[in-house]
Amino acid sequence: MQKWVNEIILEKVPPFSWVPRGYNVALQLFIMEIVGASIGILFSLPVRSILYGSLVIFVVSLWSFLAFNIGSTVRRLKPPSAPLERNVIDEYQKSLFHPRRYEFGIAALILLFILSYLVLFGRDLVSHWLGGNLSPILLLLVTLLLWDISYRLGLGLWSAIIAFKRSVNLTRVSKKRSKMRYTAYPELKTLKRLDLINLSFGLVALLLYPVGSTDITFFTGLLGYAIVILFFSVLSFIKIGNIPGFPTEIIWLLNESKFGYVGTSDKEMRPHLTPVIFVFVGHTIYFVISKISKKLRNIRENDKIAFLVDMRDPNNLYNNRAVLFTGKVKVYNPPNAIFNIYQLLKVRNKFYKKYPKYMRKYKTEEEKLPHAWRTTLFVSRMLVKLEVEKMVYWREAHPIRLPLM
Amino acid sequence: MIDILKESHFAYLCTIDENNQPHITPMFFIFDEKTKDIFVVTSLKSKKMKNMQVNPQVSLTVDVRDPDNPFNNRGVMVQGKAVIEKTLDSLSAAKDTKLIGVYKAFNKKYPILSEAKTSAQIEYQEFSETLVRVRADKMVYWRGPYFITVSFNR
């Protein structure tokens, strides 16, 4: 796979190539700061100009660091085993490191826009930056710095847009999976992490605020850029989180079937089995249990559980489908719930969507319920999540073993 | 409670393997009202059978679901020990009238089973389908949020 130009420079060109990987961005920052400060002193620029310059150099280096992170992470992505999904990830990698280097095109447009703005309306801003000293060498250096900024702005925008497109496509092909055969893509978490890096790439732009604080257009531009990146990255992040992790037939079974059976066991290896209502997100199952239940005590003693969802056909007993999940459970407590508030809201929403009648009943008859059955989270009920490790699917009484990872 | 056990067609059997990992399967079953035992049929080669041979403690749940009102959900959970009886093939040879009675009850409750059996006779022998008796130590009955527990002293 190709690399971005700034990666190639930092990895191949001395002196950056002399230092170990990971330190070359720091070296770049160091050299640029030294050169910037020397030029400032040489041209006896005001302290303000040197501070502005240092800030720009710092932000540019921060962006380089993030770009390095994005680049190496995307190149290291393992291909999904499902062919349609493999195509999406392949296309994502190819577009991000496209030999035509689209990010340059975007960067050139941004630079052109900034330069024409500065020439037409921004003379005051430029002399504010340089303390009135408009020597051609200084102007050239400013242009160079502006190019550094533009190039990274372009890179960040390109990366965020391509990531968004990849998430949309992954969601689309997840609906076209084969009925039975599907192996969940373990790199979904990495894709979410990439969206967060893209997001921070956009937010870093806001650090440049002091440089243009006297000019409203400059500030609006930075803010607009951050908002666009925020928009694409957050949407992409949400989309990835909603991709189901099962083959379509299992997804159908999980959506249609209202009850799941939770099998737990205690220290004495005595099993316990009761029905619950449940929802799933990705390939995680969520259910709610009472705080005083035997289930909760068992889970605290042994976090390995089995979870069965089945579909009965009253007309044909043999036409029975069931899926068995096994794995480890985690009980949410208030501190880790706060960290996962977004996930919890999503789960809550899914419960309301899947069990509208139950939720209404629980609400209207709350008073009549014994304490243990009240639905208030953490007071009387605990949310439990099962990270599925293995699953077995039966159709018409014949077990079919399915791979998961 | 007895009604649920008599009328339902499906039971869920939970067994535990040597690593204390639970395993659940939907099963056909017969409830013997006199002895309060529950019978299921399973293959000697199945995962649950291997689990029961290592750890006879099992749990079996039968329930009636109401998708509209959670207060109408009813069910029984039986906790007890599994006793592995005889394979179906050896039943008639063993002349154990009680077990043959159970087997007949199976065929009566699930006519489809006997049909399937004739068509898949060979498969049956190959998998050594076996009768398993679940002796209840404890039964928990629930209706909506209310629970009743019945213990058996054996």
Side-chain angles (χ1 to χ4, degrees):
Chain A
M1 237 170 286
Q2 295 250 351
K3 289 192 171 186
W4 285 322
V5 172
N6 77 327
E7 289 181 280
I8 297 172
I9 292 176
L10 286 186
E11 281 173 10
K12 297 272 151 67
V13 179
F16 308 117
S17 57
W18 297 339
V19 292
R21 278 185 71 98
Y23 290 92
N24 31 26
V25 176
L27 183 67
Q28 179 198 31
L29 173 69
F30 182 70
I31 292 178
M32 281 176 77
E33 292 285 7
I34 297 270
V35 170
S38 327
I39 289 170
I41 293 162
L42 203 68
F43 284 84
S44 52
L45 292 179
V47 178
R48 181 183 64 220
S49 309
I50 296 179
L51 286 182
Y52 284 163
S54 316
L55 179 64
V56 169
I57 290 166
F58 174 72
V59 169
V60 163
S61 304
L62 202 55
W63 270 331
S64 290
F65 171 74
L66 290 174
F68 254 86
N69 214 320
I70 296 174
S72 57
T73 310
V74 173
R75 272 189 299 270
R76 258 186 286 128
L77 279 177
K78 287 186 209 92
S81 54
L84 285 174
E85 268 139 280
R86 195 160 53 227
N87 289 347
V88 173
I89 294 299
D90 197 43
E91 195 197 317
Y92 171 53
Q93 291 171 320
K94 277 191 182 139
S95 327
L96 198 58
F97 305 105
H98 200 281
R100 286 213 181 125
R101 306 197 184 284
Y102 291 115
E103 70 273 10
F104 265 114
I106 304 176
L109 279 178
I110 294 175
L111 183 67
L112 194 69
F113 178 79
I114 297 178
L115 285 182
S116 17
Y117 173 75
L118 288 179
V119 169
L120 294 174
F121 314 104
R123 294 187 178 223
D124 293 347
L125 188 59
V126 178
S127 34
H128 173 70
W129 286 343
L130 297 176
N133 185 347
L134 293 181
S135 128
I137 298 176
L138 282 180
L139 288 179
L140 187 71
L141 287 172
V142 168
T143 314
L144 260 176
L145 271 187
L146 285 175
W147 165 251
D148 272 341
I149 294 176
S150 307
Y151 172 68
R152 283 160 184 86
L153 288 178
L155 206 58
L157 192 60
W158 183 240
S159 169
I161 291 175
I162 293 295
F164 173 69
K165 196 176 148 214
R166 154 270 270 167
S167 299
V168 172
N169 285 339
L170 269 186
T171 311
R172 185 173 49 80
V173 300
S174 77
K175 293 181 182 112
K176 290 187 198 158
R177 275 177 202 157
S178 80
K179 271 176 107 176
M180 298 287 298
R181 214 181 292 247
Y182 171 72
T183 307
Y185 185 37
E187 294 265 48
L188 288 182
K189 268 187 192 152
T190 319
L191 296 182
K192 280 170 112 175
R193 196 164 61 83
L194 277 167
D195 288 333
L196 292 181
I197 304 178
N198 280 335
L199 175 70
S200 45
F201 205 104
L203 294 180
V204 164
L206 295 178
L207 292 178
L208 287 174
Y209 166 71
V211 179
S213 56
T214 54
D215 188 300
I216 185 77
T217 319
F218 194 94
F219 174 65
T220 319
L222 285 178
L223 193 65
Y225 178 80
I227 289 174
V228 169
I229 299 252
L230 187 90
F231 174 80
F232 281 119
S233 309
V234 168
L235 269 184
S236 171
F237 184 87
I238 293 176
K239 281 211 162 281
I240 290 287
N242 285 335
I243 293 177
F246 304 110
T248 43
E249 192 158 324
I250 307 255
I251 296 171
W252 171 82
L253 184 66
L254 293 181
N255 282 331
E256 291 296 309
S257 207
K258 302 292 182 213
F259 296 89
Y261 292 81
V262 186
T264 58
S265 69
D266 57 15
K267 272 188 303 216
E268 272 86 56
M269 297 180 97
R270 246 195 322 253
H272 181 275
L273 178 61
T274 44
V276 291
I277 56 174
F278 70 97
V279 295
F280 79 100
V281 177
H283 65 266
T284 308
I285 310 273
Y286 292 87
F287 54 94
V288 182
I289 58 180
S290 165
K291 210 168 178 175
I292 57 160
S293 65
K294 173 75 176 150
K295 279 191 286 286
L296 188 60
R297 266 178 287 149
N298 282 359
I299 287 172
R300 299 244 192 250
E301 285 174 18
N302 171 21
D303 61 356
K304 283 181 280 194
I305 73 156
F307 192 92
L308 181 111
V309 179
D310 74 333
M311 180 77 86
R312 307 164 179 178
D313 182 350
N315 300 319
N316 176 3
L317 292 179
Y318 249 115
N319 191 11
N320 183 33
R321 292 151 197 247
V323 60
L324 173 70
F325 299 115
T326 49
K328 285 189 175 165
V329 285
K330 214 183 95 192
V331 182
Y332 278 97
N333 52 35
N336 64 32
I338 291 168
F339 280 111
N340 297 293
I341 191 77
Y342 165 72
Q343 192 75 1
L344 289 190
L345 287 176
K346 194 152 80 182
V347 168
R348 191 188 124 97
N349 249 341
K350 288 215 160 191
F351 266 111
Y352 273 89
K353 236 188 193 157
K354 190 173 174 190
Y355 304 98
K357 290 177 179 162
Y358 271 35
M359 292 303 162
R360 223 175 304 135
K361 269 273 187 310
Y362 280 133
K363 262 223 166 86
T364 53
E365 300 188 25
E366 175 95 50
E367 257 74 88
K368 286 188 237 159
L369 286 173
H371 185 71
W373 248 50
R374 303 231 170 137
T375 46
T376 329
L377 202 57
F378 303 126
V379 179
S380 46
R381 293 253 178 162
M382 300 302 270
L383 180 69
V384 181
K385 79 167 182 178
L386 165 65
E387 293 272 11
V388 176
E389 282 163 17
K390 254 202 300 225
M391 68 181 181
V392 185
Y393 183 62
W394 291 274
R395 196 161 54 175
E396 286 140 29
H398 293 294
I400 302 162
R401 222 166 285 277
L402 299 172
L404 192 77
M405 293 280 177
Chain B
M1 179 154 104
I2 303 287
D3 288 347
I4 295 180
L5 288 173
K6 266 159 66 180
E7 282 158 23
S8 298
H9 282 98
F10 285 97
Y12 298 87
L13 182 71
C14 186
T15 57
I16 311 272
D17 71 6
E18 67 276 13
N19 302 319
N20 210 359
Q21 165 69 58
H23 181 269
I24 310 171
T25 35
M27 308 281 286
F28 295 141
F29 74 102
I30 286 291
F31 175 59
D32 185 344
E33 216 179 324
K34 243 184 271 163
T35 59
K36 307 283 183 281
D37 286 345
I38 291 164
F39 290 91
V40 294
V41 172
T42 178
S43 144
L44 268 181
K45 291 180 181 170
S46 67
K47 169 88 176 158
K48 48 193 168 293
M49 184 60 96
K50 280 176 200 147
N51 285 354
M52 286 188 286
Q53 283 162 349
V54 177
N55 175 5
Q57 300 193 97
V58 297
S59 170
L60 186 136
T61 295
V62 181
D63 71 331
V64 179
R65 313 158 173 180
D66 181 345
D68 296 333
N69 185 351
F71 300 93
N72 282 342
N73 283 337
R74 298 177 291 143
V76 180
M77 181 182 70
V78 177
Q79 285 186 309
K81 288 189 186 58
V83 182
I84 298 162
E85 300 282 359
K86 298 188 169 68
T87 62
L88 293 188
D89 297 328
S90 62
L91 266 187
S92 49
K95 297 214 171 87
D96 187 330
T97 42
K98 265 191 191 159
L99 289 185
I100 291 175
V102 169
Y103 181 54
K104 280 184 179 153
F106 251 107
N107 283 342
K108 207 174 140 202
K109 189 171 173 187
Y110 305 101
I112 188 160
L113 277 186
S114 43
E115 282 163 34
K117 191 182 181 255
T118 43
S119 65
Q121 191 89 43
I122 305 156
E123 206 182 326
Y124 256 62
Q125 278 166 4
E126 192 184 327
F127 287 113
S128 332
E129 295 288 335
T130 306
L131 211 52
V132 175
R133 178 202 299 265
V134 177
R135 305 222 76 186
D137 294 328
K138 201 169 111 181
M139 285 192 186
V140 183
Y141 169 78
W142 68 87
R143 184 183 184 107
Y146 303 102
F147 288 84
I148 305 168
T149 304
V150 182
S151 295
F152 297 88
N153 293 319
R154 298 199 199 254

